[in-house]
């Protein structure tokens, strides 16, 4: 029987795109588990860009190729993983850091979309196939509705992910300076700018671009 496990965003998204092969956990996989149904966490990693990424949803089946103890963080394990199959977006609620049994009827494999995914991974500058783009658009629609109200309003008003990105970066910049001032460190101008000109079209990615 398939096991399900939560991986936080934006790591979950990057794993399914083949852009992140290592995940660090404070435990090894359950004995005999070589693949799992990956769910995106309901809470993103702090200070990591995850706007527009679906949270709390089934994303795909992931293969565990190797597990080793971390040399950098005592008590942690590095899992070498790779995407195996996309699945239809489906909300699912399980406890973090827990493998949960899921029956084959609990998820829907997307073979055509997966073929498109592996074609794109082999040639990442190519356009998504029609089926894969439709799947990506469905995930973006889910993730967009889950964004904080401020960013939903900006997207609704401007129709531009660049404006959403700029607002998020401003918020992060202000948060960092506020934290510094709380600890008696003078505010510093780091030459904060918005670099969006070369950001690729969003699709399933962790950063957005204008249409």
């Amino acid at each position: 029987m398939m096991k399900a496990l939560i991986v936080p965003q934006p790591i979950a998204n990057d794993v399914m795109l083949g852009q992140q092969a290592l995940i660090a956990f404070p435990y090894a996989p359950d004995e005999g588990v070589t693949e799992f149904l990956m769910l995106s966490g309901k809470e993103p990693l702090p200070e990591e860009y995850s706007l527009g990424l679906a949270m709390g949803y089934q994303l795909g089946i992931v293969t565990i190729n190797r597990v080793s103890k971390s040399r950098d963080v005592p008590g942690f394990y590095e899992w070498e993983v790779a995407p195996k199959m996309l699945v239809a977006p489906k909300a699912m609620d399980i406890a973090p850091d827990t493998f949960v049994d899921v029956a084959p009827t609990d998820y829907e494999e997307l073979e055509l979309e997966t073929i498109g995914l592996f074609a794109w991974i082999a040639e990442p500058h190519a356009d998504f196939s029609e089926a894969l783009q439709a799947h990506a658009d469905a995930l973006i629609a889910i993730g967009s509705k889950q964004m904080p109200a401020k960013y939903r309003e900006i997207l609704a008003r401007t129709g531009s992910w660049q404006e959403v990105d700029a607002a998020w970066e401003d918020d992060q910049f202000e948060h960092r300076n506020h934290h510094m001032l709380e600890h008696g460190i003078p505010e510093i101008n780091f030459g904060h700018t918005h670099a969006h000109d070369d950001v690729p079209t969003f699709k399933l990615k962790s950063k957005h671009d204008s249409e």
Side-chain angles (χ1 to χ4, degrees), residues 10-108:
I11 294 176
N13 186 75
D14 290 341
V15 167
M16 287 314 302
L17 286 172
Q19 295 179 337
Q20 179 159 340
L22 292 178
I23 311 177
F25 285 112
Y27 50 86
D30 287 357
E31 185 176 356
V33 175
T34 59
E35 63 182 27
F36 63 93
L37 177 66
M38 185 171 65
L39 312 181
S40 56
K42 289 188 174 181
E43 296 294 332
L45 291 175
E47 299 184 6
E48 290 288 338
Y49 186 94
S50 57
L51 297 180
L53 300 181
M55 309 256 186
Y57 275 75
Q58 299 176 0
L59 295 185
I61 298 171
V62 174
T63 301
I64 304 172
N65 294 322
R66 182 178 60 85
V67 177
S68 59
K69 290 186 177 180
S70 174
R71 296 181 179 180
D72 301 320
V73 184
F76 271 68
Y77 294 82
E78 290 183 345
W79 301 17
E80 183 181 301
V81 297
K84 178 181 179 181
M85 177 73 69
L86 290 169
V87 301
K90 179 181 178 181
M92 188 172 181
D93 187 13
I94 66 173
D97 300 324
T98 304
F99 276 113
V100 174
D101 290 337
V102 288
T105 54
D106 291 335
Y107 59 94
E108 178 187 352

Side-chain angles (χ1 to χ4, degrees), residues 136-169:
D137 291 342
L139 286 171
I140 295 169
I142 293 168
S144 298
K145 292 179 181 179
Q146 294 177 324
M147 293 191 301
K150 171 181 179 177
Y151 302 115
R152 293 200 309 269
E153 187 279 328
I154 293 172
L155 184 61
R157 175 170 48 83
T158 68
S160 171
W161 280 105
Q162 287 185 327
E163 294 293 332
V164 175
D165 290 348
W168 181 84
E169 290 179 0

Side-chain angles (χ1 to χ4, degrees), residues 92 130 140 149 189 202:
M92 188 172 181
E130 183 176 345
I140 295 169
N189 185 343
F202 174 59

